[in-house]
Amino acid sequence: MDMSQYLEVFIDESKEHLQTINEQLLELEKNPEDLSIVNEIFRSAHTLKGMSATMGFEDLANLTHQMENVLDGIRNQKISVTPELLDVVFRAVDDLEAMVHSIAEGGDGKRDVTEVVQQLRQIEKGEPVTPSSKSDDKKPTLLQQTYDEFEYTVLQQSKEQGFNSYEIRVKLRADCLLKAARVFMIFEVLEQVGEIIKSSPTVEMLEAEQFDQEFIVTVVSKETKEDLYKRIMKVSEVEEVVIEPVQFSKAAPAAEEKEKLKTEELKTEKPKQTQAQTQQAEKSGSSSSKGNVSNKTIRVNIERLDILMNLFEELVIDRGRLEQISRELNNPELHETVERMSRISGDLQNIILNMRMVPIETVFNRFPRMVRQLARDLGKKINLEIIGAETELDRTVIDEIGDPLVHLLRNAIDHGIETPDVRRAKGKPEEGTVKLKAYHSGNHVFIEIEDDGAGISREKVLKKAISKGIISEQNAASLTDKQVYELIFASGFSTAEKVSDISGRGVGLDVVKNTIESLGGSVTVDSQEGVGSVFSIQLPLTLSIISVMLVEIQKEKYAIPLSSIIETAIVKKEDILHAHNQKVIDFRGKVVPLLFLKDIFEVPVSKEDDDFLSVVIVRKGEKMAGLVVDSFIGQQEVVLKSLGNYLTSVFAISGATILGDGQVALIIDCNALIK
């Protein structure tokens, strides 16, 4: 039976079940006595096991089965819930997630889980759990490599022919820029004196830089450990190298282990199934009314929605063209038809955009688990409050926003929230609070990350900024608090005293800012020392169809996004002032610099300047600027098209659009101009 047709459904449903397990485990930690939560987790795990076995992913089914045994023990009150037990179950869930991810990437979903399985069995038998390799991470443990039969045979034969087999763990420096290039150089060095049998992650992942700072290679060579060490350390930007001989007892394919698991599976499968079925029957009575509701949704591949969106964008362009022809011909019947078509296509546009809207909870859901782990690693007590998770955003924005939010949350937990003893001394509650809040306002979504931690120290930031040469000492004194806090977004900036796994490498906030600005959004920070900080992100609802103000510069047409515009103004030439070699105007009591777009974009001049200037006042955060154009055309909804691969780095242009008369208008990126 061909199962490949069900693979997508399997992957989607597995991710949903794992998400449920993660959420319910966090609930269980808060209410260890509540057995209904355990039943909920058990149901998800049981379904996942059944699906995995049906699809032929035995490793996935076996690990879930082992986890089920522990949950069953908790359910029957033979095992009590402790944070240490949950740590092990969470590790098992991490492994399951990695397996599902591997299957989604086209892999076979195999993974070395012997350690987690062993710990789960110890819990099941009521024995104390031996500490996981998590605590040993500080000292480089090896033998994370598992070998298939072919690789094992190669290693055995090499040993018989007098070769040495080593597992080498290489750690690159945190500030290493071209990781793939360094890996290539290390492989080159090793291949001069031996042969590489296996690498973890795979060579493809190493080439694509899909790893942190470390990787492991298994090498067969006649050289000694010391010689290999010296050779690798000659490659620059290598921080640490650990070499150990391959232990053949562990390298052997775990066939016996598999057999054992299978027989246990057979023994326990029958009774477990009936138990789950009776439970399902009890459940079905209460959930039959809910059952009808769930059938009203349908899974659609996102690529189809993208195609639908592209087709609709073409329709919007033709709609603009028809409106223009209708105005020129001035035929009342054509006029009426075009108006009706515009109204219908407007409704259609709303429906298509809503179909692409995804609740932001799809991103927020993964944070409680991450916060729990960070709090345990840092010895802090943290309560994460999530508000407005149902707020919806376009899927393209959702895909990009996850990483910046992870950076900001880690930042709040590591730098913001203090340790319990420091908080007690300050008269604060031991448990710090981090609020993650999302809400709509106009055509934008706002996401705020607020913590009641130490806040940002003005002196510390200024000292660091001056030492890095970001600002001079003379300028430092005149900066407002808000401007000082903005400095933490500068590239390579970090106030961490010590570099930890979590933050303090000076990577992060500049990346956060760049990512958010590339989405047409902005990020600001406000803080009060000793009270806490708030990072606020503003994002557009959608990226594909935007409202713009069309303007003319000489004979060329440009579009300025309405989201950046405060207002338009007509300014007399004599009202222009000069300050610091810059032309400025006094706009409602504020000094606003003028930017002459015809000079910036080097537009060919064909008509002379008027005595009056048309100015579009735009804003980015606290900063404002006046864009000088020749005339305003009017407001319009346009389709944002990228300029393609050849024109990726054009200054201050974010894309282009096709107007009703077939002309191309470039869309101005106000954020780049105000920098």
Side-chain angles (χ1 to χ4, degrees), residues 45-55 61:
H46 192 74
T47 311
L48 181 61
K49 182 181 81 172
M51 290 192 322
S52 310
T54 309
M55 293 294 291

Side-chain angles (χ1 to χ4, degrees), residues 207-421:
E207 279 175 1
E209 298 199 352
Q210 289 175 356
F211 67 106
D212 291 330
Q213 303 321 118
E214 299 183 6
F215 61 94
I216 300 174
V217 285
T218 304
V219 178
V220 171
S221 171
K222 291 244 168 147
E223 298 282 319
T224 62
K225 252 163 69 164
E226 291 70 26
D227 288 347
L228 287 176
Y229 179 83
K230 283 176 192 160
R231 279 172 181 273
I232 299 171
M233 286 308 276
K234 276 187 182 158
V235 178
S236 56
E237 295 191 306
V238 172
E239 186 177 290
E240 180 184 22
V241 177
V242 181
I243 304 178
E244 280 190 15
V246 172
Q247 295 174 23
F248 282 88
S249 57
K250 279 201 183 180
E256 296 159 36
E257 187 69 23
K258 254 189 183 170
E259 255 339 287
K260 206 161 145 199
L261 262 175
K262 271 210 177 131
T263 52
E264 279 194 23
E265 175 94 10
L266 286 169
K267 273 184 216 161
T268 52
E269 188 59 49
K270 286 273 166 39
K272 189 69 62 66
Q273 196 124 13
T274 50
Q275 194 178 348
Q277 280 166 349
T278 52
Q279 201 175 21
Q280 200 59 41
E282 288 163 23
K283 189 83 184 144
S284 62
S286 59
S287 64
S288 57
S289 55
K290 286 184 195 166
N292 302 337
V293 182
S294 63
N295 296 340
K296 291 189 177 175
T297 59
I298 180 170
R299 289 182 197 273
V300 178
N301 190 322
I302 196 71
E303 285 172 13
R304 291 184 187 175
L305 285 184
D306 286 341
I307 294 166
L308 179 63
M309 193 67 191
N310 285 333
L311 290 172
F312 182 74
E313 287 168 0
E314 298 299 325
L315 196 62
V316 171
I317 291 165
D318 289 337
R319 177 179 77 186
R321 179 106 177 87
L322 271 174
E323 283 169 350
Q324 186 153 348
I325 294 168
S326 159
R327 276 196 298 273
E328 286 166 7
L329 294 179
N330 209 7
N331 178 320
E333 283 186 6
L334 178 63
H335 223 59
E336 194 182 314
T337 310
V338 168
E339 268 186 11
R340 185 172 155 71
M341 189 190 132
S342 297
R343 203 166 52 247
I344 290 169
S345 60
D347 293 343
L348 185 60
Q349 176 182 324
N350 285 336
I351 285 176
I352 292 175
L353 288 180
N354 282 337
M355 277 164 70
R356 293 173 55 86
M357 290 292 184
V358 181
I360 205 161
E361 67 183 342
T362 53
V363 179
F364 283 8
N365 277 347
R366 64 190 215 221
F367 294 144
R369 168 71 208 285
M370 181 187 93
V371 169
R372 173 198 184 269
Q373 195 55 52
L374 283 180
R376 278 182 73 82
D377 290 349
L378 293 166
K380 296 180 178 181
K381 292 182 180 174
I382 292 168
N383 172 35
L384 177 68
E385 283 181 27
I386 293 181
I387 304 157
E390 67 288 343
T391 309
E392 291 188 328
L393 253 174
D394 190 279
R395 190 201 64 105
T396 40
V397 184
I398 286 272
D399 286 350
E400 299 291 328
I401 197 63
D403 287 346
L405 288 180
V406 168
H407 271 302
L408 290 175
L409 271 177
R410 290 169 86 102
N411 198 53
I413 293 163
D414 195 20
H415 294 306
I417 303 285
E418 314 93 331
T419 50
D421 47 342

